[in-house]
Structure formats: C-alpha cells, structure tokens
Amino acid sequence: MTRASLTRLAIAGAAMVGAAALTMGTAAASPGPKPPNPPKPDKPGPSVPIRLLTINDLHGNLEPPTGSSSRILDPNGANTDTDGSLTGIAGAKYSIAGGASYLAAHLKQLRDPNTLLVAAGDLIGASPLLSAAYHDEPTAALLDKLGLTTSSAGNHEFDEGIDELNRIMNGGCHPVDGCSPAGEWKGTKFDYLGANVLKESNGDYALPPYFVKKIHGVDIGFIGLVTQTTPNIVTAAGIKGLKFTEEVAAANKVSKNLAKRGVKAQVVLVHEGDNITPNQDPSSCPVVPGNGSRIATGLDPQIDLVISGHSHQAYVCKVKDPAGQDRVYTQGSSFGRAITQIDFRIDRKTKDVIRSSVVAKNNVVTRTVTPDADTEAYIKTWQERVSTVANKQIGTITANIGRGSNVGETPLGDLIADAQLEATKDGGNAEIALMNPGGVRTDLSYAQSGSEGDGVVTYGEAFQVQPFNNLMQVVTLTGAQLKALLEQQIWTVDPATGGITQRILQPSSSLTYTFDTTKPVGSRVSDIKINGTAVTDTQQIRVAANNFLVGGGDGFTVFTQGTDLWSGPLDIDAFVAYMGAHSPIAPPATGRINLIR
C-alpha cells in the first residue's frame, strides 16, 4: 500500500495548541506592572459539537445547471410560479440553484471549526462535457479543493469500471486517452466507500468499507453503501468482477466492528433513497417509503445518522431505528442545488452521538450570493480547455425538442431512437431501435444560454442529452421475445397520490404497438408492427439498443436472450451523425406507442 493510501485510511489526529512563555526585563530595571497571567486553555466540555455538510448526486455539474435541473422548490425562494407550469403548484416559490462556484460560496458560509463535508455518491458520472471530456478529473479535483472528507460510491462511479474508479482515487493518466491538459492526474485526497461492494473472485472488499475521522478528540465512523441494484442500472462492463450485496446486512457488519474498536458515533452514507410526494419543502419529510426508508429503519441501532442519495430528492426525516430511537435520515436534491446541514453533539464519556441534539435542514444553494472567485477561475480554465469541442455546431432544430417529464413516449426519446436505428442499419442490419428514457438527461432547447434562439445545436448540448458514451449494439430477438421485452416496461399509479411510476422504452419510427396500462402485467402489449407489418411470434427481428440495455439494464432482462450480437458506434456519435445528416430537425410526432391509461 502506498504512503498516500495509508494517509487516507489513517485516523486523523487533532492538533494541540501550546502557549508561549513570557520573558521579564533585566534585574536593574525598575519593576513594572506585573504582566497578566497567560489565559488558561478551556477545559474540554462534556460533549463535542459537530457539523456535517453533505451533498449527493453532483454528476459533475461544475457549471450552473439549466432548465428544470436548475430549479428547486424553496419556501424562501425569490421566484413565484404563478401558473404552476414550473413546479406543478400555482403560487409555489422556487429558487434557481446550483453551480460549483455558488456551492463553494455557500459551503464557506456554513462552515465552522467543527465541520466535515461528506457525500452520498454519484459525484461523477453522467456528467456534462466540461467534466466528462476528461473522465471527471475536473470534478474530482474540485471536490478536493472543497475539502470533501469521504463519500459513498454511487452507481455512476462504476460507469467506467472499478479500475477507473481506483485510478480516480489513486492517480495516473487515463489508459486510453492519456493525461488531461492539467497534466498527470494525482488522485484524490478522499476515498470512495463501499461496504457492500465485493470482489467476485474472493469476496474481499473492492473499496474501503468505512472511514474514521477524529475531530476534537472524538472519532466518527462513516460507512459507505451503494444501491444493491447497481448491476441492473450500470453496464455489464462497469460492474465486471464485482458483486453488490444487501445494504443493511453489509452496514451492520461494519458497524459492529467499528463499535468493538470504540468508534460509537457512526454515520451511514448510502447511495439509495426514496421518492417524494412532488413539490415539497426541501427541509420537510414528504417521502414515499421505499428502499431508502427500508435501509434507514433497518440499520443497527448503533448507527446514528443516515445520509442518502440516488433518487435526486430533497428531504429531512426522522425514522425509528430497531431500538425505537429517533434517527435522522436525509437527502440533498442533486446537481449541487442543496447542502444538507446536520448539527449534533458527541458525548465525550460514551463517545456516542447524543441523539436528542441532532438538528438537520436542507440549505438551498441559491445564486443570490457572490460566487466563489477561486472556483469561478477554476471552472473558466476548464471551459477554455473544452471549448473547441463543446462549441462545434453539429446541426439545427426548428423548435424545442423535449423529454417532458419522461412519462411515456417523448419527442426527444423518439429522435434518439431514430438516430440509433440509422447508425445500426449498415453492419448491424437493425430493423428497430429502443432507447431507455433514463439515458435522456436533458432537453434540446431552441434558445440556449439566454440567447434569442437560433436553433443551433452544439456538440456540448448534444452531450448533455446523452452523456454516457454507451456503445450501440444489435441483437436478434424473436417476435415473442420482443413482446416479452415490451411487457417488462413499467406503468403503475399510486392510488394515494396519483403519482406515476413508469419506465417506457422510446421506439424508433419503424416500431408501433399498443400498451394498455389498464390490463394486468404480462398482457398489456398488443398489435406490434414493424414498418406497418404485424409481427409474428417466430419472426427473427434485429433490435438495436445501447449496451446498457443489451446487458439487461433497467430490468429489461429479455435483452440478454438476444443472439448474434453486433457492436457499432457510440450512442453520442450516432446522435451527432444523425443531426448532421438531417438538419434542420423538427420535433418528431409521438404516437408510435398507442398508450391506453
């Protein structure tokens, strides 16, 4: 193990301040007034104040996010949504939030001498071009500048595999693309944690399971977890050689070991969370109980706090642990739009968190403060480095092409599927293409960056739509398998809230069918046609999709039954080529799926 690694894994010590001695004049001098006694150092109190500042799901958003990704509901917000078009609630107040320079400014305002900054994963991955072009080294370096202590791994930390994640932590230039313009990558001062990430070969931890930090003479143990569903939402190559175990059991094992070592104050950083009843105060607890609540309530009573991520929601909750004690459970939105602040005290005698002292809230990262100048200059440097690539025009559009709320079929989803079909016809002999809606990350806007609107689409804007660099692939499915695949789509309505949970694949124009949400699961799909001709059960169909889906991602396991695998271009390259060949492009008309609900 290197000295740097040992330093990161060591328990940090607290510094002691000494008092300087006072000297007197010579004996011959007239006696002057007696100097005051030096002040005695304060005696340690019975408890130690601690402040945690937490973030999650930054996704490399160094520049201020735009559109819906920039808004957060905020009771103290400067803007009011008069018609409900932005927040869904007429009269609701929201703030425009996020951006690393504003995040840095707010962190400075919130810090005190007792503060630690920690995170709950997806800090990198699915990032804008500014960071992704250099394998997220710009974001990782900024997190060091911000003083990040540690973070759980998120599923997107595995987008390029465990070897790449280790490179980010330990240093070295990218094995394919080499060094960035900043020179040889030195690695991070912090480690990503993963108590439920094991090596398939021997069951050893693939990442450090915990990190212990000493502050003011007391130890705090941080246990890291990532959602056990990671194999279903990351490409097969990204999780090769790894297994992801159930979160509660993994954390409880580490918790017991920490307690035996005398580390009684324990915090779980978990990249898993809950959805919420929409449009709620980010310091309230509007959660719809799910996997996040399951973990937060199931963890060992020794664990004092649960800081979550993954669902991109903002909430501050209290749940009961298995011993019936209150335990704070939080999440801080996404894209740097909120900082969760948790204040508490640790008893010096018991070395444990005084649960009754825990106070938590979410602070919105508004843009009404002066941005941090050093961070602004840092971002500008990377903007200059990536500008040649980002500003290249690849095509034009005639109007906004959006993904809406990603419910059902969307114009942008259809456009991407059309581009993927065109890119895989030659060589792959694709007949239809299907795109996962979660891979469509933002809209294509006719007017960008506050301009009057010229319809120009740049490479940087296209990359924001599809930031994953997935490989296009084609497999052969039978007609029966295609129907079974489409039956794996999800559409459920919560009877209490009316909220829709859905995962509908975006189809190319060559594919049409009916999806009846009122029928039982397994009998919802009918009338499948390719180019207007009905599909038979035994028909052999060449189906294009990105390698995430072909590997069974998002629960579409029927894809793994495909045969005659062919691999083609990257998805972003397919999209760029299509834009160049067909501009100006109008928003495609939806209706490829006859959605009955």
Side-chain angles (χ1 to χ4, degrees):
M1 183 176 291
T2 66
R3 183 170 62 85
S5 298
L6 289 170
T7 300
R8 280 202 300 270
L9 293 173
I11 299 175
M16 300 297 293
V17 179
L22 294 175
T23 59
M24 301 296 294
T26 65
S30 301
K34 186 177 180 181
N37 292 325
K40 294 181 179 180
D42 293 336
K43 291 183 179 179
S47 65
V48 178
I50 302 294
R51 171 170 290 180
L52 297 184
L53 299 178
T54 83
I55 59 174
N56 58 274
D57 296 274
L58 181 62
H59 289 289
N61 277 265
L62 302 183
E63 298 169 297
T66 60
S68 60
S69 296
S70 70
R71 301 184 186 102
I72 186 169
L73 206 70
D74 180 6
N76 302 311
N79 298 300
T80 300
D81 187 4
T82 55
D83 62 2
S85 61
L86 299 177
T87 62
I89 300 177
K93 301 189 79 175
Y94 66 94
S95 285
I96 304 300
S101 59
Y102 297 101
L103 178 67
H106 280 271
L107 286 171
K108 284 184 177 179
Q109 291 180 355
L110 292 170
R111 272 195 166 98
D112 66 18
N114 312 306
T115 297
L116 299 174
L117 175 64
V118 296
D122 273 11
L123 305 178
I124 59 176
S127 305
L129 184 65
L130 182 69
S131 184
Y134 305 107
H135 300 278
D136 279 313
E137 291 176 20
T139 296
L142 180 66
L143 291 168
D144 267 343
K145 291 177 183 293
L146 296 178
L148 183 66
T149 298
T150 193
S151 175
S152 64
N155 55 284
H156 280 290
E157 265 80 22
F158 296 95
D159 280 349
E160 294 189 56
I162 187 65
D163 289 343
E164 171 64 5
L165 181 55
N166 280 322
R167 185 189 73 84
I168 289 294
M169 290 189 289
N170 299 324
C173 294
H174 191 271
V176 175
D177 294 333
C179 295
S180 81
E184 183 177 355
W185 175 242
K186 304 300 183 184
T188 57
K189 297 175 184 176
F190 66 91
D191 269 334
Y192 282 104
L193 308 179
N196 65 327
V197 185
L198 307 179
K199 297 177 182 178
E200 280 185 331
S201 59
N202 55 17
D204 288 347
Y205 289 117
L207 293 170
Y210 66 88
F211 179 78
V212 177
K213 177 71 175 179
K214 187 181 292 289
I215 181 170
H216 298 306
V218 296
D219 289 336
I220 306 177
F222 296 95
I223 302 168
L225 300 168
V226 62
T227 173
Q228 65 176 322
T229 67
T230 296
N232 297 326
I233 53 179
V234 173
T235 61
I239 50 89
K240 185 178 181 180
L242 302 175
K243 60 180 178 180
F244 296 79
T245 64
E246 195 275 323
E247 303 94 344
V248 172
N252 288 351
K253 178 180 177 180
V254 175
S255 172
K256 287 178 169 54
N257 288 334
L258 286 174
K260 287 178 182 178
R261 291 179 45 194
V263 182
K264 302 297 181 63
Q266 298 180 8
V267 178
V268 158
L269 307 171
V270 55
H271 192 72
E272 179 62 281
D274 287 328
N275 288 316
I276 65 169
T277 303
N279 306 308
Q280 301 295 310
D281 178 352
S283 282
S284 67
C285 182
V287 302
V288 178
N291 277 331
S293 292
R294 171 185 62 81
I295 295 166
T297 56
L299 292 166
D300 191 283
Q302 185 64 66
I303 293 167
D304 301 290
L305 304 167
V306 181
I307 296 162
S308 70
H310 190 50
S311 57
H312 290 208
Q313 306 299 339
Y315 50 77
V316 174
C317 299
K318 280 187 178 179
V319 299
K320 295 294 185 182
D321 70 16
Q325 305 175 90
D326 281 340
R327 179 155 60 199
V328 166
Y329 161 52
T330 69
Q331 188 176 161
S333 187
S334 61
F335 307 149
R337 289 177 291 178
I339 300 167
T340 308
Q341 174 186 335
I342 308 175
D343 292 296
F344 57 94
R345 303 186 75 89
I346 296 178
D347 188 296
R348 286 189 182 275
K349 185 175 181 180
T350 65
K351 301 180 180 179
D352 209 347
V353 172
I354 302 170
R355 293 281 183 96
S356 61
S357 71
V358 181
V359 178
K361 65 176 180 177
N362 272 319
N363 299 285
V364 174
V365 179
T366 61
R367 299 181 194 169
T368 56
V369 300
T370 301
D372 180 69
D374 289 342
T375 306
E376 287 268 86
Y378 176 82
I379 293 170
K380 183 178 180 181
T381 296
W382 286 102
Q383 287 171 330
E384 291 169 351
R385 288 167 173 167
V386 81
S387 61
T388 302
V389 177
N391 295 333
K392 182 180 178 181
Q393 179 176 331
I394 63 166
T396 58
I397 54 178
T398 63
N400 293 341
I401 305 179
R403 58 183 185 138
S405 57
N406 264 4
V407 176
E409 181 187 352
T410 68
L412 187 51
D414 286 357
L415 174 62
I416 291 171
D418 288 344
Q420 294 180 345
L421 177 61
E422 185 162 302
T424 54
K425 279 183 176 180
D426 292 338
N429 298 316
E431 300 168 75
I432 63 173
L434 295 167
M435 175 63 188
N436 55 308
V440 186
R441 304 300 283 193
T442 190
D443 299 340
L444 276 182
S445 297
Y446 185 80
Q448 291 285 351
S449 304
S451 68
E452 294 298 320
D454 56 9
V456 169
V457 178
T458 66
Y459 184 89
E461 291 161 2
F463 192 90
Q464 287 179 335
V465 172
Q466 285 193 278
F468 295 105
N469 277 322
N470 285 328
L471 194 67
M472 288 310 305
Q473 296 185 315
V474 182
V475 293
T476 296
L477 297 176
T478 65
Q481 287 172 327
L482 176 59
K483 181 180 186 301
L485 174 71
L486 297 176
E487 290 283 0
Q488 290 187 312
Q489 297 176 115
I490 292 174
W491 187 283
T492 58
V493 179
D494 187 321
T497 66
I500 296 172
T501 300
Q502 63 89 47
R503 189 167 61 237
I504 301 295
L505 294 169
Q506 307 294 287
S508 60
S509 61
S510 55
L511 174 66
T512 59
Y513 64 94
T514 294
F515 190 86
D516 190 341
T517 66
T518 67
K519 291 186 176 180
V521 174
S523 59
R524 291 177 163 182
V525 175
S526 63
D527 195 28
I528 305 174
K529 295 179 180 178
I530 296 178
N531 296 319
T533 301
V535 169
T536 66
D537 284 350
T538 58
Q539 183 176 343
Q540 302 285 300
I541 304 164
R542 295 290 284 167
V543 182
N546 60 51
N547 61 313
F548 167 68
L549 281 175
V550 172
D554 268 349
F556 290 103
T557 56
V558 173
F559 261 119
T560 64
Q561 300 171 18
T563 59
D564 299 325
L565 175 68
W566 176 87
S567 295
L570 294 176
D571 53 4
I572 181 63
D573 292 340
F575 191 43
V576 168
Y578 190 86
M579 292 292 298
H582 296 277
S583 289
I585 294 176
T590 55
R592 301 169 187 185
I593 305 173
N594 178 25
L595 186 65
I596 300 174
R597 50 174 166 160

